[in-house]
Amino acid sequence: MGRIAYAEDSVLAYLKSLMRADGYTIGLILGQSTAQKDFVVHLARTPPPAAKDVIEESLISSASNTQPEPGRKYIKSINDIPETWVADHAKHVTRMLPGGMWVLGIFVVGPSDILNDSNSINRLRSVVVAIYKHLALNKYLYGNNNQENLILHFNSITQKILCKSLDASLGGILKPVDWKFQAKATKWHQLEARVDFDRLFPIAADQMPATLKKQLQGILANISDTVDSALIVIEGEPRSLEDTLEVVGKKKKDRKEIKSNNDTTLANKTLQVSMYIPCPKNPSSDILITSCSATMRLVGQVVSRTFVHQKATIEEATAAVKQDIIRSLASRLEMHWDSLIEEENGSPEENVTLHEPPRRVLVALPQSRVTLSDYLFPGEGPQEALVSLQELLDLEMQESSVQKELELQADPSEFYYQNTVDTVASDSNEDSSQDQQFVVYMTGLSVAILVLVAAIVAHLY
């Protein structure tokens, strides 16, 4: 049995809006996959390569050959599709997706039957493979799932749809996919979690100096292992991984005595998720005393909101929540170190260096409860999110649609004050050793934010 892809009628209307008789439009298919089904939530036209007016310099540098005329939003030939440009677009869009959702593949709107032409098929296959390889560069983004990728073509002359799938990891043959449009919106289970971080990462005295990027990558790897080993509990009760979320939702409905005919109320419920970190079996045996030249501390809260299809199991929901937490954290840290103009080495005069990764904001897709993310640096507002939505997702949204209060900005003065208090306490310590130790302090507020603070504090060891 072949794959089946479900999309709402609004997706068909979007494809028709991209029709041209003399050119092609390419974009990304976004949604969720199961073993045999794909649930499409959005199509995002890939913005045309340009020398300016793009969101990030990486997008500019990746556009090597194709430079369309100003104002053009289409390409003249399938052979003109810039692989690296589309692949980079997929990376930026993946950052915006909730856990459990992926770039499922690509779509093309154009006048000829490209999926019946061998040259065009080879070109489209190379684009899908390029996306797969590019997303595989950062495993913490969870850019690739274990299912086949889709290639959708909408003929702008006949208005016929043809969809194929292939295994991008193998670059195999194309297989037919039954693409179905539906009038009713897909029902989703919404899960929400707030994960608090307060972790201290020592830097050994004999360790070779590393850049901030390398240090943050090490922290990300450590947290990823921790989250991966965690126990996810939905609605306060551990369940078998084979159970479906429908069972959880119905029990919650019964507890609140919701009338059986009010199905929309049940469908709109948010399931609360808790994450528990396992304790080591023999903590005393794992104690290691080492000399440190610095420590890095990460404190803050990540807000997670994920969506899984109506028949999803506890195992699928658990994987989606964990992916969302790590994908969000990885996106922020990657954006943060990419934004740094130069590496900060610090100096004795600089006791505290505050690093604030971007905070998460959410925007609901039109006519859907599914929300996508954007990340705002300190000083940025909803206007910047609207630019990202238009450029990367081809969405025209209002500022009021940006849910910007989930994660708040930090007050830097609190961290500097806390560090000053710690420094005074350290200076008064009457330790016989005269060696100085430096501490890199990464912290955040105990509200819904994530903040990294690098502070160098001299104290007696």
Side-chain angles (χ1 to χ4, degrees):
M1 181 178 177
R3 298 192 66 78
I4 302 176
Y6 295 94
E8 296 171 16
D9 287 341
S10 58
V11 171
L12 177 59
Y14 179 72
L15 291 171
K16 291 181 178 180
S17 70
L18 300 176
M19 292 191 307
R20 293 190 65 90
D22 58 347
Y24 296 84
T25 300
I26 187 170
L28 306 175
I29 304 172
L30 313 181
Q32 192 165 95
S33 289
T34 66
Q36 295 293 334
K37 297 179 181 180
D38 296 288
F39 301 94
V40 178
V41 298
H42 185 63
L43 301 184
R45 178 183 61 86
T46 298
K52 49 187 175 181
D53 296 332
V54 295
I55 291 186
E56 294 192 28
E57 291 184 4
S58 59
L59 287 175
I60 300 176
S61 61
S62 64
S64 55
N65 298 320
T66 305
Q67 293 293 331
E69 300 168 4
R72 184 193 295 175
K73 295 184 178 181
Y74 64 96
I75 54 180
K76 292 183 177 180
S77 169
I78 291 296
N79 293 326
D80 294 334
I81 296 177
E83 295 177 10
T84 53
W85 182 270
V86 179
D88 209 43
H89 181 214
K91 183 189 76 171
H92 286 78
V93 169
T94 297
R95 290 174 175 172
M96 308 175 80
L97 295 175
M101 291 194 179
W102 300 272
V103 174
L104 301 180
I106 60 174
F107 74 88
V108 178
V109 178
S112 62
D113 294 327
I114 56 176
L115 291 182
N116 293 321
D117 176 72
S118 59
N119 291 331
S120 297
I121 289 175
N122 289 334
R123 185 61 177 173
L124 295 175
R125 181 186 286 112
S126 66
V127 173
V128 173
V129 172
I131 293 175
Y132 177 85
K133 292 181 177 179
H134 195 56
L135 292 178
L137 294 177
N138 187 348
K139 66 177 182 179
Y140 301 113
L141 287 180
Y142 293 94
N144 293 312
N145 61 8
N146 297 321
Q147 308 301 333
E148 296 180 346
N149 296 94
L150 304 178
I151 300 178
L152 173 69
H153 176 241
F154 181 73
N155 191 305
S156 56
I157 303 298
T158 64
Q159 297 192 23
K160 291 184 178 180
I161 282 184
L162 184 61
C163 188
K164 303 282 188 179
S165 68
L166 81 156
D167 188 335
S169 62
L170 301 176
I173 62 173
L174 300 186
K175 303 175 184 179
V177 174
D178 186 9
W179 184 282
K180 294 184 177 181
F181 288 106
Q182 54 187 15
K184 293 184 178 180
T186 302
K187 294 182 180 180
W188 299 94
H189 293 288
Q190 178 176 320
L191 302 102
E192 190 158 316
R194 294 178 180 268
V195 183
D196 295 308
F197 290 102
D198 189 350
R199 299 286 301 277
L200 193 66
F201 300 90
I203 300 176
D206 57 353
Q207 180 176 321
M208 293 293 293
T211 63
L212 178 63
K213 178 178 178 179
K214 287 290 186 182
Q215 293 170 343
L216 295 183
Q217 286 175 331
I219 289 176
L220 180 60
N222 187 290
I223 292 179
S224 177
D225 292 340
T226 300
V227 172
D228 188 57
S229 65
L231 172 65
I232 297 296
V233 176
I234 301 174
E235 286 298 316
E237 183 178 345
R239 302 175 187 275
S240 170
L241 295 178
E242 289 75 27
D243 288 347
T244 64
L245 279 180
E246 283 185 312
V247 176
V248 180
K250 288 179 180 179
K251 287 187 176 181
K252 184 177 182 180
K253 178 182 177 181
D254 293 339
R255 286 198 303 267
K256 295 191 175 181
E257 299 181 352
I258 302 175
K259 293 182 180 180
S260 58
N261 61 353
N262 194 357
D263 293 333
T264 57
T265 302
L266 174 60
N268 292 328
K269 287 297 178 183
T270 298
L271 300 176
Q272 297 299 321
V273 177
S274 302
M275 186 175 76
Y276 297 92
I277 307 299
C279 298
K281 295 181 179 179
N282 299 308
S284 59
S285 63
D286 296 332
I287 295 176
L288 177 64
I289 300 176
T290 184
S291 177
C292 296
S293 61
T295 59
M296 303 183 73
R297 190 180 182 192
L298 171 67
V299 180
Q301 188 179 82
V302 170
V303 176
S304 170
R305 183 178 295 175
T306 52
F307 302 85
V308 291
H309 60 92
Q310 192 175 18
K311 301 296 182 180
T313 63
I314 298 295
E315 183 176 18
E316 290 176 291
T318 296
V321 171
K322 291 183 177 181
Q323 289 171 12
D324 187 70
I325 295 168
I326 299 303
R327 177 185 285 172
S328 178
L329 185 60
S331 299
R332 301 166 199 244
L333 296 183
E334 187 176 50
M335 293 174 67
H336 178 66
W337 67 57
D338 285 345
S339 70
L340 298 178
I341 299 176
E342 60 183 15
E343 185 68 28
E344 296 184 3
N345 297 318
S347 65
E349 292 79 16
E350 297 175 344
N351 284 340
V352 179
T353 303
L354 178 65
H355 290 277
E356 295 182 74
R359 60 192 176 96
R360 190 180 212 175
V361 296
L362 298 175
V363 179
L365 289 171
Q367 302 176 352
S368 174
R369 72 180 307 196
V370 174
T371 57
L372 303 185
S373 302
D374 193 26
Y375 297 93
L376 302 180
F377 284 95
E380 293 183 338
Q383 300 84 355
E384 283 77 12
L386 297 181
V387 174
S388 297
L389 292 168
Q390 199 284 322
E391 290 287 344
L392 296 175
L393 300 176
D394 202 17
L395 284 174
E396 295 287 348
M397 307 290 287
Q398 299 297 320
E399 186 174 322
S400 57
S401 64
V402 180
Q403 302 174 31
K404 57 183 183 297
E405 302 300 333
L406 289 174
E407 298 185 350
L408 306 178
Q409 294 190 34
D411 181 5
S413 61
E414 178 172 332
F415 304 109
Y416 288 104
Y417 173 76
Q418 181 179 357
N419 183 74
T420 301
V421 173
D422 293 342
T423 303
V424 172
S426 299
D427 290 341
S428 62
N429 185 15
E430 297 181 358
D431 196 310
S432 59
S433 173
Q434 298 300 314
D435 296 334
Q436 285 192 326
Q437 182 183 27
F438 294 95
V439 177
V440 180
Y441 189 57
M442 308 177 69
T443 186
L445 294 180
S446 58
V447 292
I449 62 170
L450 180 68
V451 177
L452 303 176
V453 178
I456 303 176
V457 183
H459 67 279
L460 296 178
Y461 180 66

